[in-house]
Amino acid sequence: MTGLPPSPKTERPAGHPQTDAGSPAVEGTSDFPSAQPDAKTAIEAEAIESHGHGHTGFWGLAVGAIGVVFGDIGTSPLYAMKEALHHTRAGTNPQLATFGVISLVFWALLLLVTVKYVIFLMRADNKGEGGTLALMALAQKALGRYSPTVFFLGMCGAALFYGDSLITPALSVMSAIEGLKDAPGVGHSVDRYIVPISIVILVALFMVQSKGTAKMARFFGPIMLVWFIVIAAMGAYYIVQKPMILQSLNPVYGLQFLIANGFTGFVILGSVFLVVTGAEALYADMGHFGKRPINMAWLWLVFPCLTMNYLGQGALTLIDPTAHENPFWRMVPDVFYWPVMLLATMATIIASQAVITGAFSMTQQAVQLGLMPRIEIKRTSETQAGQIFVPQINTMLMVGVLFLIVMFQSSDKLTSAYGIAVTGTMFISTILAYIVIRKVWLWSKLRTLSLLIPLGVIEAIFMASNLTKFFSGAWMPLAFALILILVMFTWTKGSQTLAEKAKRDSVSILDLAEMLNRRPPHRIAGTAIFLTSDADSAPVALMHNLKHNKVLHEKNIILTVKTTNTPRVNEANRITIDTLNEDFKRITIAYGFMESPNLPRALGMCRKLGLKFDIMSTSFFLGKRNVVPSANSGMPLWQDKLFIFLIKNAANPTEFFHIPPGRVVELGTQVTV
């Protein structure tokens, strides 16, 4: 695919919230990141193409991708085949059941992972970044205007991803620990220890997140590489004994199996879908490892190894029909059982770590794009941009995962809750891909639909199949996603309402500058920086300073932070300075949606542009608005109260923007929403 066209310079639609991270403060916050990155300004520079890979070679990135990207999908053999065979209707020919399930598994991996993601969707990158929010931003950019529908789809995709992040650690770790049941000399007496052991492992995993995972991550790739080789070898051992299993790759067997099982076959598709959970990671982690390393790792290692293992599980069930109860663990020879058990546990921990890290990254993007209020984001590495820790999300995930384990008690029951979030995310990415393929790749409508309709139909069937498990547990990730969608919608709607109020009550900064020239106030030495979301209007803090303190600093800077539609912004294009008159300058600082703002560092770059000042003798003025609910606002009263709750719990703006605490002055007023 050729380079993406520049973002169209269109005016912001009326009534749309601002995109700046530097808007007037409310109840301890100084900004309302908007719901939509700015499509209007020329600051939206191209992203940095390299993402901190440094001197890491191609094979190093490929091995790293094996550890991070394929952890989730790589541990699916632990439970996917077992679940699909378990739901087969009684009386179905055992050989047809095995052949049918293997056929469906293989073609699901081929069509949904290889064709959709590896061959096509990974070409729809946003300056090297992938994932639902990156795709949403790219689609908005391609349209050249704000689209509420596209924005809502991105919101739903992000919410469903969090639902997936809850279930993956619980299901993966429990499925590995349940291998103790088939361990030689142990038996089912160990059942009562599976839940406590799983809890201990997961609590330990969440507790170490604050320490950073950079050192641990070095071992992820090699461990998962060994894992894939081992499961492929296990599969090959049984394929050699029963080579007829290779016939199951014929799609005809899958169709015959579905027809033979009727509605039960439709339900079984939900279990078959478990083999592709984690496919979204190929796209989401593209910015960390690059397209080629991920593609090569999938095509030459992961896909062949997974296929061999599933074929081996099928061959074993043909040899021993009772093995369908737990085919993966029945494959393991007694002499290698405990080493494989240890390796499986490490693989599931790695899979869980990858999902947790993905949730942290998703949160950072959501905050920058204005989907969520500011939240504390800590960096755990000075050299790797992707190494972040989000305490509130970590706690939320830990509580949610432990709740799931205690509630469901086994991986069999957890699989009922799995899949619906992933199918929803996949379906959303297919819809957003339509816009990108049509507007960016410039494909014809017929060509685009001929690709996406078959994929969309397959995903819709899988989604409908997973919905049949709604009352068995699928309701849980949907309920969690709906709560998050409500939170995101409330935040963006409330931010928009406040932005509109501020716009109505504001004075143009140019008009104010002219008035101050005619009637100069008392001047004091120093520089004042006023943070605002609307660079064209006089900031609330400036107006209050003039009204109550009746003074104006010698130098005044109107500072706006904008989030672009690109993941990262080149340092050369980060800052724009406009001189309004001798008293006022307007500075706009641009950040990509994958970056964290650092105002002192950005302002230090102003020296290269001819603007010199000492940040430790500069005062930062933040407009603080105390928000109170109103029954006459655009939202119901309960939603007003939720919005105010979110505001009060947002991260401190001083810490979020890394402003020196002793240089901050807050001036506020009361507003209603």
Side-chain angles (χ1 to χ4, degrees):
M1 184 177 73
T2 58
L4 298 177
S7 175
K9 295 181 182 179
T10 57
E11 293 298 320
R12 190 193 315 273
H16 182 267
Q18 297 291 321
T19 49
D20 319 322
S23 56
V26 285
E27 201 53 34
T29 99
S30 70
D31 69 297
F32 283 97
S34 79
Q36 157 68 9
D38 191 358
K40 179 180 176 182
T41 177
I43 302 174
E44 184 183 278
E46 63 183 69
I48 299 171
E49 290 295 341
S50 76
H51 302 298
H53 296 153
H55 299 290
T56 305
F58 173 82
W59 293 111
L61 290 172
V63 172
I66 291 168
V68 175
V69 177
F70 300 108
D72 190 358
I73 200 169
T75 52
S76 296
L78 288 167
Y79 48 81
M81 188 77 176
K82 175 182 70 172
E83 283 304 306
L85 290 173
H86 173 71
H87 289 96
T88 302
R89 190 164 66 182
T92 303
N93 184 305
Q95 180 173 314
L96 177 60
T98 298
F99 274 41
V101 169
I102 294 292
S103 178
L104 293 171
V105 164
F106 173 76
W107 286 97
L109 289 170
L110 183 65
L111 294 175
L112 293 183
V113 183
T114 308
V115 173
K116 178 182 176 180
Y117 285 99
V118 174
I119 296 178
F120 286 102
L121 200 56
M122 288 186 71
R123 294 173 59 205
D125 65 297
N126 190 344
K127 301 296 184 180
E129 292 291 343
T132 304
L133 291 183
L135 187 62
M136 178 199 77
L138 183 59
Q140 295 275 34
K141 183 177 179 180
L143 288 172
R145 57 183 173 80
Y146 169 69
S147 169
T149 302
V150 170
F151 178 66
F152 180 73
L153 287 172
M155 185 188 300
C156 292
L160 288 168
F161 179 85
Y162 283 110
D164 181 33
S165 301
L166 276 180
I167 303 173
T168 296
L171 177 57
S172 299
V173 172
M174 283 197 80
S175 61
I177 303 304
E178 283 175 349
L180 290 170
K181 295 178 181 179
D182 292 295
V186 175
H188 288 270
S189 60
V190 77
D191 280 7
R192 63 180 180 273
Y193 298 111
I194 289 174
V195 169
I197 292 173
S198 300
I199 289 175
V200 169
I201 291 173
L202 287 166
V203 168
L205 177 63
F206 282 106
M207 294 297 287
V208 300
Q209 295 302 313
S210 60
K211 308 297 182 184
T213 58
K215 293 180 180 178
M216 225 173 22
R218 295 189 193 126
F219 301 100
F220 286 0
I223 290 172
M224 290 305 298
L225 180 61
V226 173
W227 167 255
F228 283 116
I229 292 172
V230 167
I231 65 173
M234 287 163 50
Y237 176 78
Y238 286 99
I239 293 172
V240 170
Q241 295 184 49
K242 209 74 173 176
M244 65 181 295
I245 193 65
L246 295 173
Q247 299 174 33
S248 64
L249 299 181
N250 188 332
V252 172
Y253 288 107
L255 295 174
Q256 289 179 349
F257 173 71
L258 292 177
I259 293 170
N261 278 269
F263 181 75
T264 304
F266 176 71
V267 174
I268 290 171
L269 284 174
S271 299
V272 171
F273 187 79
L274 294 172
V275 304
V276 297
T277 53
E280 188 74 13
L282 277 77
Y283 185 45
D285 287 319
M286 183 165 51
H288 295 288
F289 300 99
K291 300 176 196 176
R292 283 195 66 239
I294 293 176
N295 287 353
M296 296 300 286
W298 171 258
L299 293 172
W300 294 101
L301 178 77
V302 180
F303 185 31
C305 290
L306 287 174
T307 301
M308 288 180 69
N309 186 264
Y310 286 123
L311 286 168
Q313 290 190 44
L316 174 60
T317 59
L318 293 180
I319 297 168
D320 177 11
T322 64
H324 75 275
E325 296 175 2
N326 203 343
F328 180 87
W329 289 109
R330 293 287 184 90
M331 295 173 74
V332 185
D334 287 354
V335 66
F336 296 118
Y337 200 92
W338 290 107
V340 173
M341 178 77 191
L342 177 62
L343 183 62
T345 303
M346 289 191 292
T348 55
I349 291 173
I350 291 170
S352 303
Q353 176 62 58
V355 172
I356 294 168
T357 303
F360 293 163
S361 179
M362 178 73 76
T363 301
Q364 183 183 29
Q365 294 181 51
V367 169
Q368 286 295 83
L369 290 171
L371 288 165
M372 291 182 177
R374 281 189 320 272
I375 192 169
E376 183 183 12
I377 299 174
K378 296 181 178 180
R379 298 209 168 272
T380 58
S381 171
E382 293 296 326
T383 58
Q384 297 184 25
Q387 290 290 325
I388 59 175
F389 171 63
V390 186
Q392 288 174 277
I393 297 298
N394 191 63
T395 301
M396 180 190 74
L397 288 178
M398 182 173 70
V399 172
V401 167
L402 297 183
F403 171 77
L404 287 178
I405 287 180
V406 172
M407 179 179 177
F408 287 95
Q409 294 285 312
S410 72
S411 65
D412 293 345
K413 295 177 181 177
L414 267 171
T415 54
S416 297
Y418 209 28
I420 187 63
V422 184
T423 51
T425 304
M426 283 187 171
F427 192 67
I428 287 170
S429 67
T430 299
I431 297 173
L432 293 176
Y434 175 82
I435 300 171
V436 175
I437 293 173
R438 290 277 290 135
K439 299 292 185 179
V440 180
W441 298 4
L442 302 178
W443 281 22
S444 67
K445 182 178 288 188
L446 179 62
R447 188 183 178 191
T448 305
L449 293 177
S450 65
L451 167 67
L452 296 183
I453 285 181
L455 293 174
V457 168
I458 293 171
E459 289 165 350
I461 292 172
F462 274 123
M463 190 188 305
S465 175
N466 278 292
L467 283 173
T468 61
K469 303 176 183 178
F470 183 84
F471 295 105
S472 301
W475 61 268
M476 196 284 304
L478 289 179
F480 185 70
L482 284 173
I483 292 172
L484 285 177
I485 290 170
L486 176 62
V487 168
M488 293 180 197
F489 176 77
T490 299
W491 177 254
T492 53
K493 180 66 176 176
S495 299
Q496 180 180 359
T497 301
L498 283 184
E500 290 170 350
K501 278 181 172 288
K503 191 73 175 177
R504 287 197 302 268
D505 301 336
S506 65
V507 176
S508 166
I509 186 63
L510 294 176
D511 292 343
L512 178 65
E514 188 177 335
M515 285 189 288
L516 293 175
N517 274 335
R518 292 197 301 264
R519 300 175 59 185
H522 179 69
R523 306 297 289 264
I524 58 175
T527 301
I529 296 179
F530 298 90
L531 270 72
T532 179
S533 64
D534 186 357
D536 296 324
S537 301
V540 172
L542 172 60
M543 299 301 291
H544 278 282
N545 197 39
L546 289 169
K547 180 179 180 180
H548 299 290
N549 297 328
K550 301 183 181 351
V551 296
L552 184 69
H553 285 71
E554 285 181 339
K555 298 178 181 179
N556 299 275
I557 294 172
I558 310 301
L559 178 62
T560 302
V561 180
K562 291 188 179 291
T563 300
T564 69
N565 268 322
T566 53
R568 293 174 176 81
V569 172
N570 193 300
E571 293 292 336
N573 299 310
R574 190 173 300 283
I575 296 175
T576 299
I577 301 177
D578 295 319
T579 300
L580 303 180
N581 59 20
E582 292 182 357
D583 295 329
F584 292 97
K585 285 185 172 62
R586 184 161 50 197
I587 296 180
T588 305
I589 304 177
Y591 288 98
F593 58 79
M594 292 288 288
E595 298 180 293
S596 296
N598 188 316
L599 295 191
R601 184 180 300 166
L603 291 171
M605 297 169 58
C606 291
R607 292 186 178 90
K608 298 178 182 178
L609 301 174
L611 183 63
K612 298 180 180 180
F613 55 87
D614 180 9
I615 198 166
M616 294 311 296
S617 62
T618 298
S619 297
F620 288 82
F621 286 82
L622 308 181
K624 179 179 179 180
R625 291 183 290 184
N626 181 28
V627 184
V628 295
S630 169
N632 300 320
S633 72
M635 296 190 297
L637 190 60
W638 64 267
Q639 205 167 7
D640 288 342
K641 292 180 179 179
L642 174 59
F643 177 62
I644 293 170
F645 173 80
L646 294 174
I647 290 173
K648 290 182 177 180
N649 287 275
N652 187 291
T654 304
E655 295 177 1
F656 185 80
F657 291 113
H658 299 90
I659 303 172
R663 308 307 308 170
V664 176
V665 178
E666 290 185 347
L667 298 171
T669 185
Q670 182 170 290
V671 295
T672 59
V673 293

